[in-house]
Structure formats: structure tokens, C-alpha cells
Amino acid sequence: MESEVQRAEMLLAPTMAFKKVQMADKYPKGQSRGRQWKHLRFLLQAADATSLPPDRPNYLNIQSPPSIYPPKRYCDVTGFEAPYVDPRTKLRYADPEVFKQIRNLPDEYVQRYLALRNAAVVLR
Amino acid sequence: MTPVYRPPRETDFARFPASTPIVIDNGASTFRIGWAGEAEPRLAFRNIVQRPRHRSSGETVTVIGDADPALMKYFDCTRTSIRSPFDDDVVFQFEYMEYILDYGFDRLGATSEVDHPILMTECECNPSFSRARMSELLFETYGVPSVAFGIDDAFSYKYNQKLGNCGEDGLAISCEFGTCHVVPFLKGQPVLGACCRTNVGGSHITDFLRQLLSLKYPYHAASVSWDKAEELKKEHCYVAHDYMSELQIFKNNKEEAEEKTRYWQLPWVPPPKDEPPSEEELARKAAIKEKSGQRLRDMAAAKRSQKIEGLEKKLSELEDIMEQLDDSDEIEETAILSRTGYLSQQEVKSDILKVTQSLRKAKGESNGNEENADASGADKYPLVSVPDEMLTPEQLKEKKKQILLKTTTEGRIRAKQRRAEEAALREKQEEERRTENPELYFDELRARYLELSEKVDQRKRQKVNGNNNSSGAVGRGERLNAAQKERMRLLTTAAFDRGKGEDTFGMRDEDWLVYNKMSKENEEDNDGDDDESELARIASKIQEVDPTFVNQHEAAEPAADPHKVRPLTAEDFKIAIGTERFRCPEVLFQPGMIGVDQAGIDEMVSISLRRLVEDESVKERLCQSILVTGGSSLFPGMIPRLEAGIRQFRPYLTPLKLVRASDPILDAWRGAAAFAASREFARQTFTLEDYREHGESLFHRYNIVYTL
């Protein structure tokens, strides 16, 4: 290790004297850690929802419902109010200038703009 | 201010008795750890883990929190990313959590064991799964004697209640890193059944800003990192009091918008300028050019003299032969001819002629033939003036041809003259009109100029891209210009037009013009040239009157070059942050903007009150003590906007009071530290034995009682 790295104490020591179980023992090297955690959130929410009575507050049921206001539509590029939707790219736009701009956008950027409001086409 | 990347290790860990709790505010953005009863946390760092590979040794190392970018060069981060133990506001990656706790306890100065009770914050209604894993980790890995969990917003509210900012009954609006919460408090305790959460927070604002800027400036996408966006957000973003009117300002009022726009200048070094070469340089270059030119000229001269020499030699040889031939009789002649390889005397003669001609050419004299070519017009048509009776039939034919040629040329000359006369006449008329009414005349000229230039422009456009279809397809049809396309169309219709009813082609004279259009030579129409020359004439006339007039046609020509690359300026490295300043924080109020179909924070208050099964008088009391806390509530304009938003959901003229927490970021830790120092704390904790006995079900009912 470089001396400046050592001096900066930027790295976490692999073993800690105050721990009862060291990191290396818990997660042995080269062993798969089990990548199930990607869906863990859903599993956990499902577990909570079934094991708990619905009248008691839990992580799931304290979520806010959708807004009572009708959703406003904003231009995907400029952020201004958007009365129009481009039928080809599905982007919302505020005026003809933005329209010209979005028609020249490469598809990747169109998808990125759509992804901003969670409307991108997701290929599974 | 230079950020402190590595906080020093605390040294007084051993000084604290085993009963003193350690207080941890485990926030999604920042991890804060310190001792109960103290005013400030000992340590705060970003709640992230990186596991890069050390470049020289190849081992995987662990870096917690922000690291000095200057030192990160020793590590290869390409195969790892920044990890957080959180998803929204729930801890669910306990491996990373363990690294973070390791680091926290280590920096706090723990040496042999962490033998202190722990108070850790969590989100509202933390899933029991997460609580169980967290307590397991604390008990089994660190040997902690007892643990308590509490809600960070509740601690913040209690702390501010102690300071007198809010009452016993009230509401806490908390805008955090991953989520926003509204929690009602009754008699000093949070009512979890009535709280609500929207999954939008500060991280979404930062991400939105980063995405918007990198989409707006694709060339600078690499410069807009997460950290930079976070910095820009903290420095420039604000909450608009009325989002729609703020948008209108930016849309219609350019001056005010300009005032509100911030610029971020990226580092930019101007490219070295091409200095005009010095006199010496120019002289040197000229000398080199001259030298090489001289050499070429010398070479050419040498070659020429060589050629002349050769030709002269050949000529003298041939002349010798001729002399010999002239002097000798037939038998000798054939002998000479066969010796020299010629067939006849004629051939030798023609050869001599050829050689003399090329000799002349080589010597730079003009060719004799050229002089003959320029015969005068009179004897071009010698037969025209000869009466028919004197001519043979062949000559008659020739005469007819000549008459035809003559009349056409004469006609051409006459037309030319007529045109010149017309032009002169027009000139004269114009001159008259000009002297009569100069202003009207000038206006007319201008109008005509505009009209013509429009026409010429259009023609040019048609020529260049007769079909500018946006599909960008490049089939054969797409490559033709408009005139060529028209021609193709005519040809195909002509080819397939047979047998469709009665053929009326040729009934009118105009029909034949179609061949004009079809012929290829006609592609560059003379029409356009006429227009262009007319345009040039008018432009020069206008220029006579008005010297400031710029002929757009000539001026526009050089700019039309599309391949010329504009040199980059500092302006190109400037990032404007205009509407983004208030557009990004707006996601807290309108989560729909980033595709989250939930209510915004102002509406959440009404949802929370609706969920609260209490009298209207109680709700009114709650609304007089609303505390706004959390790191994302620090945007300027937050409180007035929230107040206006909440007022819309409340009955007319009901009192409303909003207070910002004394320190929206640190209050949760301070409240927790105060709570942990109180005598009540020991009764709120649970131990490893409790956990072993009840298991996960312990957490279904686990809620601490918050005290001041």
C-alpha cells in the first residue's frame, strides 16, 4: 500500500478487535453471497402484509395514496407546461421549437427523457 | 472549505462507563454516531461503501464514506459502484451495514469491545425483518448488551419541542434523503397509524438534476457527477412559491429569467491561437518556394533543349534524305527509301513537315495552323453569294447548309443587339423614374431584390436538397434533386402511358415542351442564370444608392459551408441552470413529475389528518404546530410554499403555523442523544435474551415511548 493511503487511514481494516465475528468468517472469500436480495424488498413487503393485521400500521400501508389533483403535464425537455404529445416519441412538448428538437433527438435520448418520468419502454 | 475525508480516531472511548449508550442516527444519506448526552455527534459520514481493487496488489479493499479523490487513483473502481445499505429508507443490505458499523465504532475509538447500549434511529414502521437483522448484527457481531430503536423524525420533533419550537400536539413534516414523511403527534407521541410516506426525497432531486443537466449538455455529461449535482442542488435550488407562475416567468420574461439563471463554468483552456507568421518566416518560405520553382524550371529547360536538339538532328537527317532523293534516279530512290524505311517521297515530306512543326512548338513559336483557323466570316460561307446556276448539285447542297448557318448566326447577333437595346432602354426608363421619384424607385428596387433573392434561394435549395425528408433514407430516389426527380417521373409516365384512351399528345404545341423537360442537358436551366444576373444587377444598383446595403447572396455564400467547424469557446463550456433550479425540488410537491404516483408533501398533511381519527378541534390544534425537518427541507422558499399548499386543504381561515427545525439535519441525532441520556432509556431497550425469547415477533409490537 502506498504510504499516503496508509497515512490517510482511508481503508477499513479487515479485522476489528472489538468484533466477535470477523467479516472474513461471516462472508468467506470466493463463496457466493446469494444474490437473492434484489427481490428481498418485495418478499419482505409481502411477508409484512400477510403476517400483520391490516388495521395496524406497517411499512406498506403508511404509503401515501395518489394525489387527488389531476396530474399536470410538463414538457419533458424544457419543463414548461405541455399541451402536446408527440405520437411518435411519446414525449410531451411545450411549443413547436421543442417539437423540432425532439424530432431530432436520437432514440437513446428519447428513452432517457421518458425514463425520467418512468415512462420508458422497458424490454424484458 | 476543504472537506475532511478521514475524521481522526476518537481517543476517549475507554473513558465512558459501560452504561453510557452510543447513539447512532442511521440516516439514508449520513451516518452519525456519538455519545448519549453530548450536544454533537462525534462523527458523521456519508452512508456509503465502495469496494474497489487496489491497483498494485490486486486485493479488494473497503472504503467507507467519501474518499479523497486524489487518493482514489491507486484504486480500480471500474468493476464496483458506490453501494448503500439502504433501499429508500429501509436498511436491507446488512453486509454493507456491517462495514459501516465497523468503521463507525472504529472511529469512535472502540478497541477491545463495544460494551455499550445502542440507540439507533430507523424509519417509521420499519419492517420487522430489518429490525431483526439489525439487532442480530448488533448482538452477535458486536456483543452489544442492549438495543433500542426509535424514529428519527420523532426525535427531531421532541428535540424541537424541548426548544419550544412546537407543542405537545403537532405534526412533523420530514423531507429526507430517500422518502418524505408526515407524522402527527398527540400528547407528545407519534401516531403511527396516521403517518404517511411518499417515496420521493433528496436523492431523487439530485438524480433528476443530474439527468436533466446531462441530457441538456450531452457533451458535458461526464462532468455532471452525482457529487457535483448534489453540490449544485444545495447551492442553487429553491422551491418556487407558485410553480406555474415561476414557469411563466422563465417562459415569457427573458430578463427576469436571465437574472434567475445561474451559470456554472466548466474548466476550459482556450486553444492556442495561430499567430501570423513573421516576416522572416515568410521570406524563408518564399525563398524555398522560389528555389524549388527554379529547379523545376531548369529541369524543364534542359528537357526542352534536349528535345530541340533531337528534333533538329532528325530534321537534318530527313533533309539529307530529301536531297539525296532529289538528286537520284528511281532505282537509287527505292534503295534509299528501303534503307531509311520510308515507302515514298511523300511520306518523307510529311515527316519533315511534322518534325518542323513540333520543332516550332518546342521552340515556343505559335503553330502555323492556328493562324489559318481564324478565317474571316466573309469567306466562311463562300457559296452563299454564288448564283445557283453556276453550282453543281453537291455544291448546291453545301450552299443550303451554309445559308442555314449564316442565318442562324446572324439571327443570334441580331437578338444580342436587340437585347442590348432593350437593356439600354430599360436603363433609361429606370433613370427617368429614379429622377422622378427616387424614394419610390428605391423601394421598388428593394422589393424586386427580395423577390428575386427568394426565388434564387428556393431554386438553390431545390437543387441541393429537393427532398429533405426526415427519414434520412438514402435510396436512389432520395439522392436525386427535384428537377431530376421530375424528369424521371416524366420518363416513366411517357413509357407506360400508352393505350390509355385516346392519345391526344401533340394536339397542342405546349405538349412538345415535355421533351425539353426530359432532355438531360436542360438540367441547368437558363432561367435561373437570368434571375441571378438580374439579382446581381439590382444589388449593384441598390449599392450605388445605399452603400451600407449588403448583398445577402454574396454574403451568405461562405457561411453556407456546413463542414466548417466552429471553434469552441468558453461559452460552450458553460452550464446554465435555469428552470432546473426550482424544477428539481418541485418533485417533492409533484412526485408525478418523476413518475411516482403518490401525493406531494403538502397534500400528505391532509392525508395524515384524514387518517387521524380525532375531532376537528384536535386537527386544528395540530396544524398550529407543524415542524419541518430533514435535509431536503433546507431549500429556500420551502416553508411559504408548504404553508400555501397546506392551506388549500384546510378549512377557510383556520390557523396554521409552520416552523423549520432549529437544525433540520442534526436535530434527530441530538434528540436521540438527549433521550438516551434520560433515565427512561433503560426501560425502552431490549437485550439479546429478550430477542432470543420472542424472536422476530418482538418487533411487531415494539415501539418506544418518547420522552423529553
Side-chain angles (χ1 to χ4, degrees):
Chain A
M1 290 287 158
E2 288 78 6
S3 63
E4 21 178 359
V5 175
Q6 299 247 314
R7 219 175 316 122
E9 293 186 61
M10 68 184 291
L11 303 182
L12 192 69
T15 54
M16 295 282 178
F18 54 81
K19 284 177 81 174
K20 287 188 167 171
V21 185
Q22 294 300 340
M23 211 70 182
D25 301 334
K26 213 183 228 179
Y27 305 103
K29 230 180 183 176
Q31 212 163 318
S32 116
R33 305 250 162 104
R35 286 287 173 204
Q36 41 145 334
W37 51 264
K38 262 188 187 168
H39 307 288
L40 200 68
R41 187 84 193 275
F42 303 103
L43 288 174
L44 151 128
Q45 287 182 349
D48 256 24
T50 50
S51 65
L52 288 173
D55 54 324
R56 287 183 41 128
N58 61 42
Y59 187 78
L60 258 194
N61 65 16
I62 62 164
Q63 284 205 88
S64 342
S67 172
I68 57 164
Y69 291 122
K72 288 209 176 79
R73 290 163 189 277
Y74 298 104
C75 173
D76 283 309
V77 180
T78 59
F80 297 129
E81 230 180 329
Y84 319 111
V85 179
D86 175 16
R88 189 150 88 201
T89 58
K90 304 280 185 289
L91 284 173
R92 296 168 185 164
Y93 62 96
D95 48 45
E97 265 149 61
V98 184
F99 180 65
K100 264 181 228 159
Q101 203 184 326
I102 59 174
R103 274 296 164 95
N104 287 327
L105 275 179
D107 196 46
E108 186 206 334
Y109 280 80
V110 170
Q111 290 305 319
R112 279 176 65 190
Y113 270 118
L114 287 173
L116 279 184
R117 58 180 166 92
N118 225 349
V121 180
V122 182
L123 297 173
R124 285 181 208 278
Chain B
M1 190 188 100
T2 53
V4 181
Y5 292 108
R6 287 305 101 166
R9 200 158 179 268
E10 300 290 327
T11 49
D12 54 356
F13 191 87
R15 215 166 43 82
F16 289 90
S19 58
T20 311
I22 292 174
V23 178
I24 297 170
D25 178 9
N26 193 14
S29 72
T30 319
F31 181 95
R32 298 178 197 88
I33 187 167
W35 293 102
E38 290 192 347
E40 298 287 325
R42 289 290 177 95
L43 199 67
F45 54 88
R46 234 176 110 190
N47 215 337
I48 51 166
V49 180
Q50 291 177 77
R51 303 214 61 209
R53 202 173 278 274
H54 188 242
R55 280 193 200 279
S56 50
S57 64
E59 51 184 301
T60 306
V61 295
T62 312
V63 181
I64 312 291
D66 282 317
D68 190 348
L71 291 179
M72 285 313 275
K73 67 180 177 208
Y74 296 116
F75 302 99
D76 175 16
C77 299
T78 48
R79 284 168 65 187
T80 59
S81 58
I82 292 176
R83 311 273 183 169
S84 159
F86 283 84
D87 185 7
D88 285 349
D89 53 354
V90 178
V91 183
F92 81 122
Q93 291 265 9
F94 286 88
E95 191 187 334
Y96 298 133
M97 196 67 239
E98 189 173 336
Y99 285 122
I100 287 180
L101 285 170
D102 273 0
Y103 183 68
F105 290 133
D106 178 55
R107 291 289 107 179
L108 198 63
T111 44
S112 57
E113 58 186 344
V114 189
D115 196 16
H116 293 269
I118 300 243
L119 172 60
M120 193 182 258
T121 64
E122 57 173 19
C123 66
E124 284 84 346
C125 299
N126 196 13
S128 45
F129 171 85
S130 176
R131 279 179 176 170
R133 289 285 301 273
M134 183 68 90
S135 28
E136 245 170 58
L137 180 67
L138 288 171
F139 287 134
E140 284 164 16
T141 306
Y142 299 100
V144 172
S146 61
V147 176
F149 292 118
I151 297 163
D152 47 0
D153 300 336
F155 286 128
S156 182
Y157 189 83
K158 295 310 273 185
Y159 185 74
N160 279 283
Q161 192 188 337
K162 202 163 128 189
L163 293 178
N165 290 336
C166 48
E168 204 178 26
D169 298 344
L171 270 169
I173 301 175
S174 169
C175 309
E176 294 140 34
F177 187 69
T179 51
C180 284
H181 283 99
V182 170
V183 193
F185 287 81
L186 280 177
K187 299 191 182 73
Q189 297 305 316
V191 186
L192 289 178
C195 74
C196 76
R197 179 189 76 238
T198 288
N199 295 328
V200 165
S203 62
H204 299 89
I205 300 175
T206 308
D207 204 50
F208 195 39
L209 180 64
R210 189 170 67 102
Q211 293 282 358
L212 283 178
L213 289 181
S214 63
L215 280 165
K216 195 164 150 194
Y217 299 96
Y219 295 109
H220 303 309
S223 311
V224 191
S225 61
W226 170 273
D227 298 312
K228 190 67 205 178
E230 184 90 12
E231 198 185 312
L232 290 172
K233 174 185 90 173
K234 285 177 182 160
E235 208 175 324
H236 300 298
C237 283
Y238 64 93
V239 174
H241 188 259
D242 181 348
Y243 188 63
M244 287 327 227
S245 60
E246 194 80 9
L247 279 179
Q248 285 304 314
I249 289 174
F250 271 83
K251 192 157 189 172
N252 303 326
N253 191 341
K254 289 278 174 274
E255 275 168 38
E256 206 178 334
E258 186 60 31
E259 232 169 74
K260 288 192 172 191
T261 303
R262 302 281 172 89
Y263 292 100
W264 167 32
Q265 180 68 57
L266 292 173
W268 178 73
V269 186
K273 278 211 181 86
D274 305 335
E275 281 178 21
S278 63
E279 295 269 312
E280 262 175 67
E281 186 82 349
L282 280 174
R284 205 161 56 83
K285 274 190 180 153
I288 290 169
K289 207 172 163 188
E290 177 60 33
K291 214 170 158 185
S292 57
Q294 188 59 49
R295 210 174 60 211
L296 281 174
R297 273 197 295 278
D298 287 350
M299 272 163 71
K303 211 171 176 184
R304 209 177 73 184
S305 63
Q306 216 174 358
K307 197 176 169 189
I308 290 172
E309 219 170 90
L311 283 171
E312 271 171 351
K313 203 173 157 195
K314 191 164 184 199
L315 191 63
S316 64
E317 269 173 24
L318 285 169
E319 272 163 359
D320 279 352
I321 295 170
M322 272 310 276
E323 266 171 40
Q324 282 174 16
L325 285 172
D326 285 347
D327 297 346
S328 56
D329 53 17
E330 267 186 39
I331 304 156
E332 273 175 331
E333 244 182 64
T334 43
I336 292 166
L337 280 175
S338 64
R339 199 177 63 226
T340 49
Y342 285 101
L343 288 174
S344 66
Q345 204 169 341
Q346 237 77 29
E347 210 172 314
V348 180
K349 263 186 194 163
S350 71
D351 235 20
I352 288 176
L353 205 63
K354 258 190 214 159
V355 173
T356 38
Q357 266 179 14
S358 45
L359 193 61
R360 256 193 229 154
K361 220 182 196 171
K363 279 181 178 167
E365 291 161 25
S366 69
N367 207 325
N369 290 344
E370 279 172 23
E371 283 156 30
N372 300 341
D374 205 33
S376 69
D379 27 356
K380 236 185 192 170
Y381 316 110
L383 297 174
V384 176
S385 47
V386 184
D388 280 357
E389 301 84 63
M390 292 170 70
L391 297 171
T392 57
E394 269 172 36
Q395 275 173 324
L396 265 176
K397 229 185 229 169
E398 187 67 12
K399 187 184 167 181
K400 263 186 196 161
K401 221 193 222 166
Q402 282 182 4
I403 288 171
L404 196 72
L405 276 173
K406 199 180 166 191
T407 42
T408 43
T409 39
E410 275 170 5
R412 225 178 282 149
I413 290 163
R414 265 204 299 279
K416 213 174 177 182
Q417 274 171 350
R418 205 174 53 235
R419 263 209 298 270
E421 275 163 24
E422 266 174 24
L425 192 68
R426 209 171 38 189
E427 200 88 333
K428 220 170 116 193
Q429 280 172 346
E430 269 182 29
E431 195 58 39
E432 273 166 25
R433 274 186 22 231
R434 186 177 153 183
T435 43
E436 238 170 63
N437 189 350
E439 274 170 31
L440 182 72
Y441 166 74
F442 189 57
D443 283 347
E444 271 175 14
L445 264 189
R446 265 182 187 278
R448 176 106 181 100
Y449 173 79
L450 283 180
E451 188 189 314
L452 270 178
S453 70
E454 182 82 350
K455 210 164 150 192
V456 170
D457 267 347
Q458 198 174 353
R459 198 191 309 277
K460 248 180 211 163
R461 241 174 292 147
Q462 266 180 359
K463 238 178 206 172
V464 176
N465 47 356
N467 53 315
N468 197 5
N469 55 351
S470 54
S471 70
V474 279
R476 172 154 163 74
E478 273 75 10
R479 270 184 270 121
L480 300 173
N481 69 31
Q484 286 169 326
K485 258 191 174 171
E486 177 63 10
R487 187 173 153 259
M488 293 307 269
R489 195 186 64 78
L490 285 171
L491 284 175
T492 45
T493 48
F496 295 103
D497 206 21
R498 264 175 242 139
K500 266 191 219 161
E502 204 184 335
D503 190 2
T504 58
F505 187 84
M507 299 277 272
R508 289 174 307 140
D509 284 345
E510 290 93 77
D511 289 352
W512 300 103
L513 287 178
V514 96
Y515 288 111
N516 238 348
K517 280 187 195 159
M518 277 190 204
S519 71
K520 230 177 180 171
E521 302 85 67
N522 222 31
E523 258 170 30
E524 62 273 22
D525 35 0
N526 302 320
D527 235 37
D529 294 346
D530 280 356
D531 278 348
E532 266 174 59
S533 60
E534 178 73 5
L535 191 67
R537 198 181 65 85
I538 292 179
S540 70
K541 278 210 175 268
I542 298 178
Q543 252 160 354
E544 265 173 39
V545 187
D546 176 13
T548 56
F549 177 80
V550 184
N551 188 355
Q552 290 166 4
H553 258 270
E554 281 158 17
E557 275 314 277
D561 186 6
H563 299 293
K564 201 170 179 192
V565 180
R566 189 175 56 91
L568 290 176
T569 59
E571 202 68 13
D572 295 316
F573 285 80
K574 205 175 187 181
I575 287 184
I577 307 160
T579 49
E580 290 84 358
R581 285 183 67 198
F582 61 94
R583 187 179 169 188
C584 298
E586 188 67 20
V587 300
L588 296 180
F589 293 90
Q590 302 182 42
M593 282 169 72
I594 52 168
V596 175
D597 191 18
Q598 284 187 301
I601 45 174
D602 43 0
E603 206 181 330
M604 280 164 67
V605 172
S606 85
I607 292 165
S608 220
L609 290 176
R610 206 164 61 224
R611 284 179 177 174
L612 201 64
V613 202
E614 293 288 341
D615 290 345
E616 186 53 40
S617 62
V618 177
K619 292 182 184 177
E620 203 177 304
R621 199 163 69 238
L622 292 186
C623 284
Q624 289 173 54
S625 157
I626 299 177
L627 182 82
V628 186
T629 184
S632 302
S633 69
L634 286 168
F635 293 111
M638 188 70 167
I639 302 291
R641 171 69 192 273
L642 262 178
E643 198 172 329
I646 294 168
R647 219 172 265 289
Q648 288 179 13
F649 294 98
R650 297 292 302 151
Y652 183 57
L653 284 183
T654 45
L656 197 62
K657 190 178 161 232
L658 277 91
V659 201
R660 193 195 291 272
S662 62
D663 183 341
I665 292 173
L666 279 179
D667 277 354
W669 187 87
R670 286 179 185 145
F675 173 74
S678 70
R679 268 179 294 138
E680 299 294 314
F681 176 70
R683 266 183 271 153
Q684 309 290 338
T685 58
F686 60 92
T687 59
L688 180 60
E689 282 68 44
D690 296 332
Y691 178 61
R692 289 225 169 108
E693 197 178 325
H694 297 101
E696 209 173 297
S697 67
L698 171 74
F699 301 111
H700 290 327
R701 297 184 183 284
Y702 177 81
N703 276 316
I704 62 168
V705 178
Y706 298 88
T707 47
L708 279 181

